[in-house]
Amino acid sequence: MTTKVSIALLSLLASAATLQAQTQVKGRVVNSDREAIAGITIRHGEQAATSNEEGYYEIFVASPGKFTLSFTGVGYTRKKLTFHPKGEHTRLQEVIIAGSGYHIDQIEVFG
């Protein structure tokens, strides 16, 4: 019985430590003209978020210390940036993503 209680307490403490190390990251994705880009996928490990119509995103990062975010989207070049968290809430500067230079002239749908 005492062993089960000890294991339960250790599990609870481990999960609390993980929650404390987590930081909420918010930012905005724009193009070179500083126009918002919707639909950009922001990833950190298994965590992922997508920028909204105004280019804003929010993602939770559970790793302590510096972390790397990957920004990808159709028609845009992939970008990876490393940041240092600022407590529980980290607000990032605008991330500028360049177009990939590929243009789609026509789409065919078969079905």
Side-chain angles (χ1 to χ4, degrees):
M1 180 73 171
T2 306
T3 305
K4 289 181 182 179
V5 171
S6 297
I7 291 172
L9 286 174
L10 285 174
S11 297
L12 183 62
L13 289 173
S15 63
T18 301
L19 289 174
Q20 288 178 340
Q22 188 172 11
T23 184
Q24 178 187 31
V25 180
K26 291 183 177 185
R28 186 170 188 236
V29 183
V30 296
N31 63 19
S32 58
D33 294 327
R34 298 264 198 244
E35 297 170 334
I37 305 174
I40 297 294
T41 300
I42 300 92
R43 287 194 179 280
H44 173 72
E46 296 296 317
Q47 297 289 334
T50 304
S51 61
N52 66 17
E53 291 149 4
E54 296 175 351
Y56 290 103
Y57 64 90
E58 179 180 323
I59 187 169
F60 290 92
V61 177
S63 62
K66 66 181 180 178
F67 59 92
T68 300
L69 295 179
S70 173
F71 299 82
T72 58
V74 176
Y76 294 93
T77 58
R78 174 184 296 247
K79 191 167 200 171
K80 284 188 175 186
L81 298 171
T82 301
F83 303 97
H84 295 276
K86 298 174 177 82
E88 292 179 12
H89 303 281
T90 300
R91 179 83 174 141
L92 302 178
Q93 295 177 354
E94 288 183 336
V95 174
I96 300 171
I97 299 182
S100 64
Y102 293 107
H103 299 284
I104 300 174
D105 293 327
Q106 184 176 357
I107 297 175
E108 292 184 35
V109 179
F110 298 94

